[in-house]
Amino acid sequence: MSIPTIWKRPHLSFPSVFDTIFFDVDGVLIKTKASFQATGIAVAEYVVGVILSLDWGQNEGKSLVMTRDVEDFKRAGGFNDDILTSYLLASLSTARLREWNRTALAGRSTQEWAQLARAAQLQGHGGREWVETVLPPSARTDYHIIIDLYHEIYWGAEELKRRFKCEPRYLPHAEGLVHNEEMLYSSDFFARLRAAGLVRMGMITGRFGQEVHSALERMIAHSGECWWDVVVSSDLYKKPDPQALRFAINAVGSKGGLYIGDTADDFDLVRNYKASQLASEPDILMVMVAQEDEAVLYQQRGADIIVSSVEDLLACLPIHTQM
């Protein structure tokens, strides 16, 4: 089953005043499959293969974790934080190879685990709580080691020294996967949005600290301007906490608009906001960047609009906004 490149919920009504767009960053504005997702996979491989010396068939070219495994958990929600995702992947892989070896749990698919994680997330017990409830303590690598590995693999030795003033402990020659990131929008995209009437803009991101600064530096260089009015990082509020959206709304004085993301935590951010929305608060539509089966999933969950890329937003705007 597939849906068109741009899909809108039947009988969708836009807010009467439509002046605001909030963006997720990773997967929407910046292509991160070769950086954040690849970092999570590399962390799991280092923990399992180097630190724990476990064999999953790596010498025969077998993969420990696939990109689709990462995406399954991103769809589940609770794993917008890529360090937490790395912790999950390393712990689950360890348990399958060691603690659960030759048991039914070792054979359970990643998709099945992700479905369980989604159920826990909807009950308010997802993310790290779910990981530390479901996975054996002996399979869970110390979180501080995961953090160190994540930073070394993502930033690389030179960027780690420059941004954090510290030396790598595990990978002194890492080049850094951050350099694989690419922008997913044209340099004049935000100027075109403003010309269409969207004059209030911001970002709500799972990035934190230096990750935010790095992304903003590169977006300014790419766009030739600081186009945003507010940035809500996970240092302030973590998605899907609706306070992240409320903070952004208040910061820009939004009268109505949309939020565009690409993971379950993005979807749940708006879902949670709508569930607790006061009469005095503006309406915010949920737009998801998704492809094929994932697009169908978010259509079924109740997204307002689904697009294949952030640039598709211009074709989604109500006619009176484009005038």
Side-chain angles (χ1 to χ4, degrees):
M1 182 181 180
S2 62
I3 64 173
T5 302
I6 299 174
W7 175 89
K8 295 182 183 179
R9 180 167 49 80
H11 312 297
L12 175 67
S13 296
F14 282 80
S16 57
V17 178
F18 189 71
D19 61 2
T20 304
I21 293 185
F22 297 121
F23 299 86
D24 174 39
V25 174
D26 301 312
V28 174
L29 298 177
I30 300 178
K31 187 175 181 179
T32 56
K33 283 190 176 181
S35 56
F36 281 134
Q37 290 192 18
T39 297
I41 293 171
V43 169
E45 290 177 346
Y46 190 94
V47 168
V48 175
V50 178
I51 295 179
L52 301 178
S53 300
L54 297 175
D55 182 5
W56 68 86
Q58 56 267 51
N59 293 330
E60 290 79 48
K62 294 182 180 179
S63 298
L64 179 67
V65 179
M66 305 289 285
T67 299
R68 64 174 176 266
D69 298 325
V70 181
E71 292 172 347
D72 281 341
F73 283 109
K74 292 291 184 180
R75 294 177 192 134
F79 298 103
N80 199 58
D81 181 336
D82 288 279
I83 294 177
L84 175 57
T85 303
S86 303
Y87 178 59
L88 161 66
L89 296 174
S91 302
L92 179 58
S93 299
T94 299
R96 281 170 162 167
L97 291 167
R98 192 175 64 188
E99 282 79 0
W100 295 338
N101 187 30
R102 299 182 181 179
T103 71
L105 289 175
R108 181 177 285 171
S109 70
T110 299
Q111 188 175 41
E112 289 175 296
W113 284 115
Q115 289 170 349
L116 293 171
R118 177 62 181 168
Q121 176 73 0
L122 291 174
Q123 295 170 5
H125 301 289
R128 186 168 178 176
E129 180 184 350
W130 179 80
V131 173
E132 297 184 343
T133 299
V134 171
L135 300 181
S138 59
R140 304 197 303 261
T141 299
D142 184 280
Y143 205 80
H144 292 94
I145 294 176
I146 298 293
I147 292 172
D148 288 343
L149 280 170
Y150 181 88
H151 285 314
E152 291 182 28
I153 294 169
Y154 177 72
W155 291 110
E158 293 306 313
E159 279 291 289
L160 190 74
K161 294 173 187 177
R162 183 171 79 86
R163 292 185 179 274
F164 296 92
K165 312 302 180 187
C166 65
E167 297 287 332
R169 296 177 55 193
Y170 302 97
L171 298 159
H173 305 296
E175 295 183 359
L177 297 181
V178 64
H179 303 297
N180 295 338
E181 294 182 350
E182 302 172 2
M183 298 297 154
L184 290 171
Y185 60 92
S186 57
S187 59
D188 66 341
F189 176 57
F190 301 101
R192 286 185 285 143
L193 286 174
R194 285 195 297 270
L198 280 302
V199 295
R200 307 176 196 275
M201 302 185 201
M203 288 175 274
I204 305 174
T205 176
R207 289 186 179 232
F208 62 94
Q210 288 295 329
E211 291 177 359
V212 178
H213 298 313
S214 172
L216 298 186
E217 289 168 6
R218 285 177 282 139
M219 280 192 275
I220 289 174
H222 181 68
S223 304
E225 61 168 328
C226 176
W227 51 265
W228 55 87
D229 303 304
V230 63
V231 177
V232 183
S233 72
S234 66
D235 298 294
L236 188 59
Y237 294 107
K238 292 183 182 293
K239 293 182 283 191
D241 184 347
Q243 290 304 115
L245 184 51
R246 287 192 167 91
F247 183 93
I249 287 169
N250 292 331
V252 304
S254 174
K255 303 298 183 183
L258 61 80
Y259 173 80
I260 179 168
D262 72 322
T263 70
D265 282 338
D266 293 313
F267 179 86
D268 289 341
L269 171 69
V270 180
R271 182 177 65 85
N272 292 341
Y273 169 77
K274 289 182 176 181
S276 58
Q277 184 179 359
L278 302 176
S280 59
E281 292 181 318
D283 290 329
I284 302 293
L285 300 182
M286 177 70 254
V287 182
M288 294 298 296
V289 176
Q291 316 293 331
E292 299 177 354
D293 291 345
E294 190 173 44
V296 175
L297 172 67
Y298 286 115
Q299 181 185 25
Q300 293 169 343
R301 287 186 181 178
D304 295 307
I305 300 172
I306 299 174
V307 295
S308 62
S309 74
V310 70
E311 291 262 359
D312 289 341
L313 279 175
L314 283 162
C316 295
L317 302 179
I319 294 174
H320 69 274
T321 303
Q322 299 181 55
M323 295 176 60

